[in-house]
Amino acid sequence: MVLLKGFVKPEDQVKIVRTCWQLGMGPGGFYRPSYKNGAKLNLWMMSLGKNWDLITRSYGPTRPFDGAQALAIPEALKTIAQAANSTVSEFPQIDPDICIVNYYTNSGKLGLHQDKDESKSSINQGLPFISISIGDTAEFMFGDTRDKGKATKIDLESGDVLILGGESRLLFHGVSHVKTNTAPSWLKEETGIRPGRINLTFRQY
Ligand SMILES: O=C(O)CCC(=O)C(=O)O
Ligand SMILES: [Fe+2]
């Protein structure tokens, strides 16, 4: 696992907010994924490239609940993720065909889980996924088990990039909470970003 503190330049952070907001408000944009029993995740999600479905835990071209086609990953965003990937010599370079964008309000959170719905080959090779955080700071947790008490907690701030690959590809991870009013003031002024946090994870199926 590699954490690149403050990797994303301010102008790119602004670009990410504007792009995610524009895509997220349109068809195929942000929604709250539900489990079979109707309970919802504590975040808003938009899948780019391929749709990830919470119920089947699999990828497909469209999302079952409204039939919307997964939107394309904007090249400008992919470039930022690949630039981060290329600074880390211990992991292979990926060509992302999936980007999951999560928007957490200040009450948003995500339980400890592993990301293992990409192809067997991708997982077995330990191809990294690249996670970009924008907006309010998150307390991010990770560990070898689903036990929250044993998880390590770190802050992910606006502009940080976390890369999980190789041995760390299947780490359990999640977001315990989002810290209110911690986004950089210049980002708020420039974009009018709502309170909360945007996280993008770039993956190769
Ligand atoms: O928001 C984060 O930092 C993590 C997101 C995540 O784990 C996921 O989308 O699978
Ligand atoms: Fe994840």
Side-chain angles (χ1 to χ4, degrees):
M1 183 174 114
V2 174
L3 174 57
L4 304 171
K5 286 298 289 180
F7 179 86
V8 185
K9 295 191 293 260
E11 69 253 37
D12 284 338
Q13 295 191 40
V14 168
K15 197 185 288 174
I16 290 171
V17 171
R18 292 199 175 128
T19 307
C20 291
W21 223 252
Q22 197 184 352
L23 294 175
M25 292 301 128
F30 288 124
Y31 73 107
R32 285 201 50 200
S34 305
Y35 294 99
K36 238 193 209 138
N37 67 7
K40 286 186 188 322
L41 289 185
N42 271 306
L43 52 78
W44 294 77
M45 182 181 286
M46 157 171 73
S47 285
L48 308 177
K50 298 181 195 299
N51 181 66
W52 180 74
D53 183 54
L54 173 64
I55 293 174
T56 59
R57 297 194 174 261
S58 63
Y59 288 101
T62 55
R63 55 191 198 191
F65 83 96
D66 68 354
Q69 187 98 22
L71 303 167
I73 307 174
E75 280 303 317
L77 303 196
K78 205 158 127 172
T79 303
I80 299 165
Q82 287 187 298
N85 193 175
S86 70
T87 66
V88 180
S89 58
E90 56 261 57
F91 302 142
Q93 186 75 22
I94 63 163
D95 183 14
D97 52 359
I98 301 160
C99 173
I100 296 185
V101 184
N102 290 329
Y103 169 65
Y104 302 79
T105 64
N106 285 132
S107 57
K109 56 186 174 180
L110 178 62
L112 282 166
H113 65 280
Q114 292 171 299
D115 288 1
K116 52 181 184 188
D117 300 327
E118 294 72 32
S119 71
K120 277 206 172 70
S121 141
S122 179
I123 304 281
N124 291 345
Q125 291 176 71
L127 293 189
F129 69 81
I130 298 144
S131 155
I132 298 179
S133 295
I134 303 288
D136 283 335
T137 301
E139 187 181 83
F140 181 83
M141 43 185 182
F142 63 92
D144 295 328
T145 67
R146 208 182 287 276
D147 185 344
K148 208 172 159 175
K150 290 195 181 127
T152 305
K153 288 157 186 115
I154 56 170
D155 276 355
L156 293 182
E157 298 172 294
S158 197
D160 290 353
V161 179
L162 184 72
I163 308 188
L164 266 73
E167 301 274 287
S168 65
R169 179 61 176 77
L170 289 178
L171 268 180
F172 285 88
H173 60 277
V175 171
S176 39
H177 63 276
V178 173
K179 300 185 176 182
T180 305
N181 211 10
T182 48
S185 49
W186 53 262
L187 187 65
K188 291 191 263 190
E189 281 153 23
E190 189 81 14
T191 62
I193 188 176
R194 295 189 191 186
R197 167 176 182 260
I198 300 170
N199 175 262
L200 303 91
T201 48
F202 293 83
R203 307 145 189 252
Q204 183 175 316
Y205 185 77

